Amino acid sequence: MNQRPARKTQFKPNRRRRLFKWLTIILIFLALGCTAGLLIPGLNRSRNASVKLSSPLKIVQKVVSNGSSSTDSNTQLQEAWKPTLQQADGHVAIAVYSNQTKKTYMASNAANHSYRMASTVKVSILVGLLMKQGTLNSSEQANAQAMIENSSNTAASALFVELGEKSGLQETFDKLGMTDSTAHEEWGLSTTTPSDQLKLLNAIFYSSNLLSTTQQSYVRNLMRNVESDQQWGISAGSTNFYLKNGWLDRDDGWIINSIGYIPGNNGASDSYTTAVYTDDNSSMQNGENTIEKLAKSTSKILNK
């Protein structure tokens, strides 16, 4: 007896309609879920972008301790410096070493930025020559005085050759531990950071195994007697100072720098060394104003 082939299961029309309805609902929910998954990350990116654009200029702040645990000076300095760093029309960085707290304080509106040294490199040229030769002859002394006190470029170029030009200047940086400074064949375009400059300044104004006391006194005397029209920069807010400034007009803006030492009201105990470097300034005056605002803020806190 032949068996009837098994019937394929069939759905009645009303069941088919109900299944179609549920399948449609499920597909709609799936579509909405995929669309949401695509849109939400985009909204998050847009929200984050708007926050980034409206955020204030980021100020990089740092304090390096050399033994003291006090943070009062750092807090005061960072708060005092912050408005000037935010309002500056170019890149700015400052570093200060306090002999009283044995700390180095730093702040910048441009993280990891290197600055062209302009005429502040002349102090490195002089120190390098002293470390190389021990003493200077009469011609070199005349050039050293003109280079530091009058910022003579001709004198600087002559001593740069005596030092060994680019390689001699780089050797000077290396001996001083200035690991973020790079010599350039055009001495004024050598690059550095303010914190590196403190290594140079501290070798001049505090105890050093690289310079004798006689050599230190020689450099100090020249930095104390810069001509009157160059007595601006880190000297602002102080009546007693040693300094060397640098300025250079470039296509991308003015480079204005100032380095030096402020003895303090109680002698060496509350003295400090400081370096301020700027570039991309819209004018020389703007760069000077920025440095002097930072200098006055520093003096009010460390020279109380």
Side-chain angles (χ1 to χ4, degrees):
M1 186 174 175
N2 295 333
Q3 288 186 336
R4 188 181 299 176
R7 290 175 56 186
K8 294 181 180 180
T9 304
Q10 295 182 349
F11 293 106
K12 294 183 179 181
N14 59 337
R15 290 182 180 175
R16 186 179 299 158
R17 281 195 297 271
R18 284 198 299 270
L19 178 61
F20 180 79
K21 178 180 177 181
W22 283 111
L23 284 173
T24 301
I25 292 171
I26 291 170
L27 288 172
I28 290 172
F29 273 103
L30 287 173
L32 288 173
C34 291
T35 303
L38 291 171
L39 289 177
I40 291 173
L43 290 173
N44 289 338
R45 284 195 296 270
S46 177
R47 186 182 298 112
N48 291 338
S50 65
V51 170
K52 183 178 180 181
L53 290 173
S54 62
S55 295
L57 185 63
K58 183 178 180 181
I59 306 300
V60 182
Q61 303 174 340
K62 188 175 181 180
V63 57
V64 178
S65 176
N66 293 314
S68 173
S69 60
S70 173
T71 59
D72 290 345
S73 294
N74 182 53
T75 301
Q76 293 176 50
L77 287 170
Q78 301 296 351
E79 287 301 312
W81 291 339
K82 190 173 181 179
T84 301
L85 293 172
Q86 288 180 322
Q87 295 163 12
D89 64 356
H91 302 123
V92 186
I94 181 172
V96 175
Y97 170 77
S98 167
N99 194 40
Q100 185 172 38
T101 66
K102 309 301 181 187
K103 288 177 179 285
T104 296
Y105 308 100
M106 295 176 282
S108 173
N109 67 1
N112 303 316
H113 187 65
S114 292
Y115 295 84
R116 288 159 290 186
M117 296 173 70
S119 285
T120 61
V121 75
K122 293 170 181 175
V123 179
S124 293
I125 292 174
L126 176 56
V127 168
L129 201 56
L130 288 170
M131 289 193 296
K132 177 184 178 182
Q133 299 181 178
T135 59
L136 306 182
N137 61 38
S138 58
S139 175
E140 291 167 340
Q141 288 179 29
N143 279 329
Q145 182 175 4
M147 177 177 70
I148 301 298
E149 294 185 1
N150 309 114
S151 204
S152 167
N153 292 336
T154 301
S157 294
L159 294 180
F160 184 59
V161 172
E162 293 292 328
L163 178 61
E165 300 183 301
K166 179 182 175 181
S167 61
L169 182 58
Q170 188 61 56
E171 185 177 350
T172 300
F173 294 154
D174 294 343
K175 286 181 179 178
L176 289 163
M178 299 168 68
T179 54
D180 292 323
S181 297
T182 303
H184 194 281
E185 56 207 20
E186 294 181 49
W187 46 261
L189 299 183
S190 301
T191 58
T192 192
T193 60
S195 58
D196 248 15
Q197 288 297 304
L198 295 187
K199 298 172 184 177
L200 167 70
L201 293 168
N202 289 353
I204 298 169
F205 293 99
Y206 300 117
S207 61
S208 171
N209 57 3
L210 296 172
L211 294 173
S212 68
T213 55
T214 301
Q215 291 171 329
Q216 287 179 315
S217 296
Y218 179 69
V219 180
R220 292 173 190 173
N221 184 60
L222 295 178
M223 293 180 69
R224 188 179 181 84
N225 290 288
V226 297
E227 62 183 46
S228 58
D229 66 351
Q230 294 179 26
Q231 293 181 10
W232 49 265
I234 61 95
S235 57
S238 302
T239 57
N240 195 6
F241 51 82
Y242 301 71
L243 83 160
K244 182 69 192 84
N245 297 326
W247 58 96
L248 190 60
D249 186 9
R250 302 285 290 179
D251 291 340
D252 54 356
W254 279 87
I255 297 168
I256 309 294
N257 308 321
S258 186
I259 65 173
Y261 168 79
I262 306 298
N265 295 324
N266 300 309
S269 62
D270 61 343
S271 63
Y272 59 91
T273 50
T274 180
V276 186
Y277 277 75
T278 77
D279 60 25
D280 290 350
N281 295 286
S282 57
S283 69
M284 182 175 182
Q285 191 60 56
N286 279 354
E288 286 185 27
N289 291 344
T290 295
I291 293 174
E292 293 192 341
K293 287 178 183 177
L294 292 171
K296 289 177 182 178
S297 299
T298 303
S299 179
K300 286 180 180 178
I301 294 167
L302 297 184
N303 261 351
K304 291 180 180 178

